[in-house]
Amino acid sequence: MMMEREHNIVLGLSITGVAAALQIAGKGHPVTLVEIPHEIPIRARPEIWDTALSQRDRKGADFEALALRVLESRGAKVVRDLESVKLELSPSPRLILRRFDEPEPETVAGSRIIYASDGTWNLTVIPKAARELVSRGVSASAWIDATFYLGKSTAVAGAGDFAFEQLYWAAQCASELCWINPEERAMISEDLMDRIELPVIPSLRASEEVRSVRREGSLLELGLSGGGVMAVHAVFFAGPPVHEHGILDGPMLESLRRAGAAIVGTAEGAPWTQFGAQWQAGWELGEML
């Protein structure tokens, strides 16, 4: 089924993608915002608390619902719940969208592409020795999996803002929380630490890495690089998101650039804490709230 030609296509239902779509729609241009299958959900982003939403005690689900409502009011089309998205750049940019249980794909064509996805969960940060235990206490997504360990002990392995995100979501559920940081210092953006308070304060193992993971009954036994051993119910490995899930890899990224596409957000390495300002630039929060 061929849809009418769209002037702008924004790939990624991220905080940056929403800001871009609102800016475009606000100038009277047609825009379609497409959620990429398997991308990190918009409600899971900690930078939501860097916006004026935090002043009204809003949470991720509130942000998502509010963003979708404002996009609709501005005339932006949002496409979600897709099985796959294929990007073709010749002779002109277009997306081939395939929905679940629908035999015929849908085509969205445009003259401009903006890639703004937060990427997908990074499973490559999980040590090889622990990958056989994925879904059995080992995960790269505390946002998804921490609820399975409500009231139990958990650990987060990693550094920087990526680790802090996992700490935040793990702390929503854990009774005890440990941060295994391979660096000597926290390496977390100051504004992120100032704005977001963890409900459970983690103990810290600095300059340590997880070298081994084995299952002992209901617990995971973590062997640390300093020689110590720790027993927890779950461990979340933190790392930057990946941007190569069937739509954007190295060659495609270069093809997008040559086609004049705008590439914003974590695909360009922008810290997540910058997204709050990008969101406020795209939406007059005082007016809408």
Side-chain angles (χ1 to χ4, degrees):
M1 179 176 68
M2 177 70 80
M3 294 180 58
E4 66 180 48
R5 184 174 178 81
E6 294 285 354
H7 181 68
N8 298 275
I9 298 173
V10 178
L11 291 171
L13 186 56
S14 65
I15 192 168
T16 321
V18 170
L22 287 173
Q23 286 180 329
I24 293 167
K27 294 178 180 178
H29 301 300
V31 58
T32 295
L33 178 62
V34 179
E35 181 181 43
I36 299 172
H38 311 292
E39 77 176 337
I40 299 173
I42 189 173
R43 67 175 63 187
R45 301 273 55 84
E47 68 276 0
I48 289 169
W49 285 266
D50 287 341
T51 73
L53 288 175
S54 61
Q55 298 171 10
R56 299 199 172 214
D57 200 27
R58 305 259 183 161
K59 303 302 181 188
D62 300 318
F63 174 88
E64 181 180 64
L66 197 54
L68 293 173
R69 191 162 70 245
V70 178
L71 285 162
E72 181 181 5
S73 72
R74 297 286 178 89
K77 179 173 182 177
V78 180
V79 181
R80 308 189 73 182
D81 302 320
L82 297 172
E83 182 180 8
S84 65
V85 175
K86 182 181 179 182
L87 175 62
E88 296 181 351
L89 295 173
S90 179
S92 61
R94 64 177 187 160
L95 296 179
I96 310 299
L97 312 178
R98 186 171 293 278
R99 300 179 184 276
F100 293 97
D101 302 323
E102 289 192 8
E104 295 298 322
E106 179 179 347
T107 299
V108 177
S111 56
R112 186 183 182 207
I113 295 282
I114 297 172
Y115 182 86
S117 175
D118 279 345
T120 60
W121 302 113
N122 191 346
L123 301 180
T124 63
V125 297
I126 299 175
K128 290 183 179 179
R131 290 181 187 176
E132 64 182 24
L133 295 173
V134 169
S135 79
R136 290 192 294 151
V138 172
S139 173
S141 171
W143 179 78
I144 293 176
D145 296 326
T147 52
F148 293 106
Y149 305 96
L150 188 65
K152 296 183 178 180
S153 60
T154 61
V156 171
D161 288 0
F162 304 113
F164 191 85
E165 181 204 53
Q166 298 287 4
L167 286 165
Y168 177 84
W169 293 108
Q172 306 301 310
C173 303
S175 60
E176 298 178 45
L177 182 60
C178 179
W179 182 13
I180 305 169
N181 185 355
E183 307 293 337
E184 294 182 2
R185 54 192 181 87
M187 299 179 68
I188 301 172
S189 304
E190 288 185 12
D191 58 342
L192 190 63
M193 295 185 70
D194 290 342
R195 292 173 183 268
I196 303 176
E197 182 177 350
L198 300 180
V200 173
I201 304 302
S203 60
L204 176 64
R205 298 291 294 263
S207 302
E208 293 260 37
E209 295 182 14
V210 177
R211 291 290 174 83
S212 64
V213 182
R214 66 190 186 99
R215 189 86 179 172
E216 287 290 333
S218 63
L219 294 173
L220 295 175
E221 190 175 274
L222 310 180
L224 304 181
S225 56
V229 176
M230 177 184 301
V232 293
H233 289 94
V235 58
F236 304 102
F237 290 92
V242 294
H243 295 266
E244 52 187 18
H245 196 95
I247 186 166
L248 186 73
D249 52 19
M252 179 57 73
L253 184 61
E254 290 306 313
S255 296
L256 278 169
R257 286 197 175 102
R258 288 196 298 271
I263 303 172
V264 294
T266 52
E268 290 292 272
W272 289 344
T273 49
Q274 291 182 6
F275 288 7
Q278 294 182 42
W279 164 255
Q280 294 189 43
W283 176 23
E284 299 79 6
L285 283 165
E287 172 190 334
M288 300 308 304
L289 296 178

